[in-house]
Amino acid sequence: MADPALLILGGTTLAMGIARAAAGPGRRAVYSLAGRTEPKSAPDMEVRTGGFGGAEALADYLRRENITAVIDATHAYAAGISANTRAACAAANIPLLRLQEPPWQAQPGDRWIDVMDLAEARDKAAEIASRVFVTTGRQAMAQFAGDLRCWWLARVIAPGADLPELSHGGYVYDRGPFDLSGELTLLYDHKITAVISKNSGSAATYGKIAAARELALPVIMIARPVSGDEVQVETVADAVSWLDQWRSI
Ligand code: NAP
């Protein structure tokens, strides 16, 4: 049987942070990625790529790989893998920690419009704006492909065959972190009149929110999926404390 291991579900800056903190000699750990994009860097541990095949298959993987604890550090909006992980850990009776940043809070000067989902965000944008910066990820792009109501500028990490052509818009390819001055330039140069965003809470993607505030642009903010009832922490330091506790048991 494989040595006991920690499984970290990744794909975020925070996940890389806990992976770096958790790695060490004599400590087996596995870092898991969905594999949608080429990672910028990989942690110093076993890395596996691709879906598990659903909650039951993930529970089988946990048992087979002798996983004894799981940290779900996926993006706040990656609701599918988080639900599967919750179910799989419960089925395999393995402790689970959810690590995610708290959502950003609106500051004075912010013009946020809260919406429930992507479709509502798109409709709201069409109502109030003409040139819209869309930062909701590549999987959302099909919903904008044929929509002629606004000019959509979508930012994704890299080109790919999965990205539909936008009938009325275009792509910028870039990977965070994004700072305020770069975001101001982008919004200004493209004459953007509204931003669509998820509330990831990440410092790496906050630049667009600060830039929109500075330019007095509305940000159409898509609500976070509801959290589960597993133990939740918001910082790498708190995740390390949880790990230390788990290792001392
Ligand atoms: P999702 O809808 O919850 O995931 C869809 C499926 O992809 C999951 O059911 C699982 O497939 C597989 N998967 C997702 N994350 C995985 C991981 N870390 N390791 C192995 N399999 C994984 O998630 P998503 O929104 O597509 O996000 C995919 C990945 O991108 C996540 O890891 C997330 O952290 C990262 N990410 C997402 C966003 C976002 O806005 N959603 C932004 C930045 C980064 P099976 O059911 O086959 O196991």
Side-chain angles (χ1 to χ4, degrees), residues 8 13-24 31 41-45 236:
I8 298 172
T13 308
L14 206 53
M16 280 299 291
I18 185 60
R20 277 192 208 101
Y31 188 80
S41 54
D44 186 18
M45 59 178 59
V236 169

Side-chain angles (χ1 to χ4, degrees), residues 32 90 140:
S32 177

Side-chain angles (χ1 to χ4, degrees), residues 8-12 32-34 36 48-55 58 73-75 77-82 84 136-137 139 198:
I8 298 172
L9 295 156
T12 60
S32 177
L33 287 166
R36 301 222 204 293
R48 67 160 303 287
T49 303
F52 296 93
L58 175 52
T74 58
H75 193 269
Y77 289 69
I81 187 68
S82 291
N84 288 352
T136 46
Q139 283 166 277
K198 295 174 178 173

